[in-house]
Amino acid sequence: MKVADKVAIVTGGGNGIGGALAAKLAQQDARVLVADLDADAARAVADGINAERPGAAIAAGADVADTAQIQRLINLAESGFGPVDLYFANAGITGVVGLDATEKDWDRSFDINVRAHIRAAQLLIPGWVERGEGYFISTASAAGLLTQLGSATYAVTKHAAVGFAEWLNITYGDQGVRVSCLCPMGVNTKLLYEGEQSGHPLGELATRAVTSAGDVLEPADVADSVLAAIDDERFLILPHAAVLDMYRQKAADYDRWLRGMRRYQRSLQGEML
Ligand code: NAD
């Protein structure tokens, strides 16, 4: 899909990957609703875009854990720009590390990392099927294909996000709905360093596992990979090419991969002593 003249919503657009996606979309002549829990951050990103391309962005504060707020975003984009063509389900949280995450912690991770995607799809896909066109871009993570050392909430919810995106692609792909799934390893954003800053050993392990596994990319480079994949209408977006080999190794010999992950975890824990 060419994004020029299209209408996009980017959640988690106030920072990091979402902010970079919003900026790149506008550079390619799309109009963007920048949505974030942090309304000021969303406004700052939209202001930056409008300074270069007046009228190309609208900002909105919204919590994607609430269906009514997602509906409000869709209404805002429609009234400001027209029907929504692309939805970037990008907002995400690291959640609480370790097995002692509470029911509430698990709910919050599922709400933002998975159910927010389901809610948006429920609101948008029927209209897209009617129009015969629409594009859903899920920001999952390499953790959704491999794992996240230290954090079960992140590993599990990101696997679920990949599973939901696959299902959407298969179910609606023949009716004009496009679906892609972004699965990066480390990206230089606030989220990546939250574990390290949490003071919890498993949080530190979670951050180190990512920063030691490969290059930490800049959000703008990740956004370039996403826009290239949208142009190609390619499902799996891997800004770190090595993830594909890791994923193949996992599928080829699961027990060997698990032993390797335990070895990697032990080596990181040794460094942290
Ligand atoms: P970030 O912290 O820079 O941005 C995340 C944004 O999401 C923040 O602006 C935050 O306010 C917003 N947000 C959080 N909860 C929200 C909610 N309930 N409703 C609306 N907005 C909400 O982090 P980022 O790295 O840019 O994260 C974007 C996505 O990329 C996330 O889904 C994350 O899991 C994923 N990801 C990040 C990395 C990485 O290394 N940074 C790697 C793989 C995947």
Side-chain angles (χ1 to χ4, degrees), residues 2 4 17 41 52 83 91 93 96 100 129 138 143 160 169 192 213-214 236 239 243 248-249 263 266 273:
K2 300 287 172 214
I17 298 170
E52 305 225 329
I93 58 168
V96 172
D100 46 0
V129 167
S138 159
N169 186 302
L192 175 58
L236 194 55
V243 171
R248 284 189 176 125
Q249 282 160 19
R263 199 167 45 244
R266 279 196 305 275
L273 288 176

Side-chain angles (χ1 to χ4, degrees), residues 11-19 35-39 41-42 61-66 69 73 89-94 108 111-113 116-117 138-143 148 154 158 182-194 210 216-217 219 240:
T11 70
N15 288 289
I17 298 170
D36 204 286
L37 190 59
D38 181 343
D63 184 350
V64 294
D66 176 4
Q69 296 192 43
L73 295 178
N90 171 77
I93 58 168
T94 49
R108 188 76 184 150
D111 255 342
I112 297 162
N113 292 353
H117 300 202
S138 159
T139 302
S141 167
Q148 175 60 64
Y154 198 76
K158 291 297 184 180
L182 169 61
C183 294
M185 287 203 297
V187 187
N188 185 18
T189 71
K190 194 163 142 271
L191 181 140
L192 175 58
Y193 299 101
E194 274 171 9
V210 179
V216 173
L217 302 181
H240 301 80

Side-chain angles (χ1 to χ4, degrees), residues 26-263:
Q27 277 164 24
Q28 295 197 11
D29 295 326
R31 284 159 299 161
V32 194
L33 178 86
V34 183
D36 204 286
L37 190 59
D38 181 343
D40 291 340
R43 197 166 313 112
V45 168
D47 286 349
I49 291 170
N50 286 327
E52 305 225 329
R53 290 186 152 64
I58 301 174
D63 184 350
V64 294
D66 176 4
T67 307
Q69 296 192 43
I70 299 178
Q71 182 65 66
R72 205 184 110 250
L73 295 178
I74 295 169
N75 296 346
L76 272 173
E78 279 180 358
S79 58
F81 296 135
V84 176
D85 300 295
L86 300 108
Y87 188 91
F88 293 79
N90 171 77
I93 58 168
T94 49
V96 172
V97 294
L99 191 56
D100 46 0
T102 63
E103 293 271 344
K104 218 169 142 208
D105 298 330
W106 275 100
D107 279 346
R108 188 76 184 150
S109 284
F110 269 113
D111 255 342
I112 297 162
N113 292 353
V114 187
R115 289 196 196 107
H117 300 202
I118 299 168
R119 293 181 186 108
Q122 286 171 332
L123 294 173
L124 286 164
I125 297 237
W128 285 350
V129 167
E130 220 166 274
R131 280 163 55 197
E133 191 174 71
Y135 211 132
F136 190 93
I137 302 94
S138 159
T139 302
S141 167
L145 301 172
L146 304 166
T147 191
Q148 175 60 64
L149 293 186
S151 180
T153 52
Y154 198 76
V156 171
T157 57
K158 291 297 184 180
H159 271 73
V162 173
F164 183 64
E166 283 170 357
W167 184 87
L168 280 183
N169 186 302
I170 295 164
T171 309
Y172 295 103
D174 290 341
Q175 295 169 76
V177 177
R178 304 286 173 251
V179 182
S180 294
C181 186
L182 169 61
C183 294
M185 287 203 297
V187 187
N188 185 18
T189 71
K190 194 163 142 271
L191 181 140
L192 175 58
Y193 299 101
E194 274 171 9
E196 198 169 67
Q197 286 155 6
S198 67
H200 194 301
L202 288 179
E204 191 179 343
L205 175 71
T207 298
R208 279 185 180 234
V210 179
T211 53
S212 305
D215 290 342
V216 173
L217 302 181
E218 290 306 319
D221 297 328
V222 174
D224 283 336
S225 301
V226 174
L227 287 225
I230 290 172
D231 203 44
D232 296 347
E233 300 187 352
R234 185 163 21 89
F235 177 74
L236 194 55
I237 312 174
L238 298 177
H240 301 80
V243 171
L244 189 59
D245 274 336
M246 296 178 190
Y247 192 39
R248 284 189 176 125
Q249 282 160 19
K250 178 178 179 176
D253 189 339
Y254 226 126
D255 286 295
R256 185 164 186 262
W257 177 80
L258 288 167
R259 281 194 301 276
M261 290 307 292
R262 289 200 296 268
R263 199 167 45 244

